[in-house]
Amino acid sequence: MRPWLTRGLAMAFLHAIADTALAKATVYNPTGLLTVRIVVIALLVGAAALWSAVDAWLRREDAGRTWLIASLVAGLGSGVLYVIGRGIFVDQAGTAELQPALTGGAAFTALLVLVPAGLGLLAGGRLTRPEAANPVEPVESVDSVEPAGDSGEPAAERPRRRPSPSPRRRRTPSPTPRRE
């Protein structure tokens, strides 16, 4: 499954469940839910920021594009799921509620995923991975002793360096000669 689809559907379910639960709570207490709304939005923002920070920390490929598409999927998906959840659990909302949920509601949800995901990608990209902090990996077995290297100790006792994850680019000579 594509990473943006996984993230988008998960965020859509989270947002739809939160919106439906808030709608249900509003039925019982229409005026006293300001603190609950703030806490729910903070949790949704935190979920998107944390997941995107982990993606950036693990150096996932195309994380920015993944989260952009995931936010659009989450917006549309949560709009549809919210109308379904509200129709089943709250007040039998019909298809008339679908148009506002797919325009304004979807845009708000997409921004509520995209902005924290962008901040999470920024913060997670600045964190160092545990493997990057210790580039020397321990030797697996000492049973096989290779010939001694330049330092005089057997190769199995020397720490091995991990290969670089991507080859370094070589500088190609300029086609025009340099002036001296």
Side-chain angles (χ1 to χ4, degrees):
M1 188 179 290
R2 303 247 184 228
W4 54 265
L5 187 60
T6 307
R7 286 153 181 77
L9 290 178
M11 289 290 133
F13 279 118
L14 280 176
H15 282 264
I17 289 169
D19 284 342
T20 305
L22 283 174
K24 184 68 172 178
T26 303
V27 170
Y28 297 111
N29 189 4
T31 58
L33 294 175
L34 179 64
T35 306
V36 174
R37 286 184 193 274
I38 291 171
V39 168
V40 166
I41 288 176
L43 289 174
L44 294 172
V45 165
L50 181 66
W51 196 351
S52 64
V54 169
D55 279 350
W57 182 61
L58 294 175
R59 309 295 190 254
R60 300 266 191 230
E61 192 172 321
D62 289 336
R65 182 174 51 159
T66 297
W67 278 100
L68 174 68
I69 298 171
S71 68
L72 298 175
V73 169
L76 293 174
S78 74
V80 170
L81 291 173
Y82 167 65
V83 170
I84 292 170
R86 186 172 166 193
I88 293 172
F89 298 114
V90 181
D91 61 1
Q92 286 75 32
T95 57
E97 294 293 323
L98 195 57
Q99 194 259 342
L102 289 179
T103 54
F108 180 69
T109 301
L111 284 174
L112 210 55
V113 172
L114 184 62
V115 172
L119 294 175
L121 289 172
L122 181 69
R126 293 180 174 264
L127 299 175
T128 58
R129 293 183 64 182
E131 299 91 40
N134 186 10
V136 178
E137 67 181 14
V139 178
E140 286 85 23
S141 68
V142 186
D143 296 336
S144 63
V145 177
E146 296 174 15
D150 294 336
S151 64
E153 60 184 19
E157 294 175 8
R158 284 181 285 157
R160 291 187 225 165
R161 295 238 177 228
R162 250 183 226 196
S164 175
S166 61
R168 293 185 179 158
R169 293 185 182 174
R170 294 184 182 178
R171 288 189 145 178
T172 57
S174 174
T176 58
R178 291 187 180 180
R179 293 184 184 171
E180 294 181 19

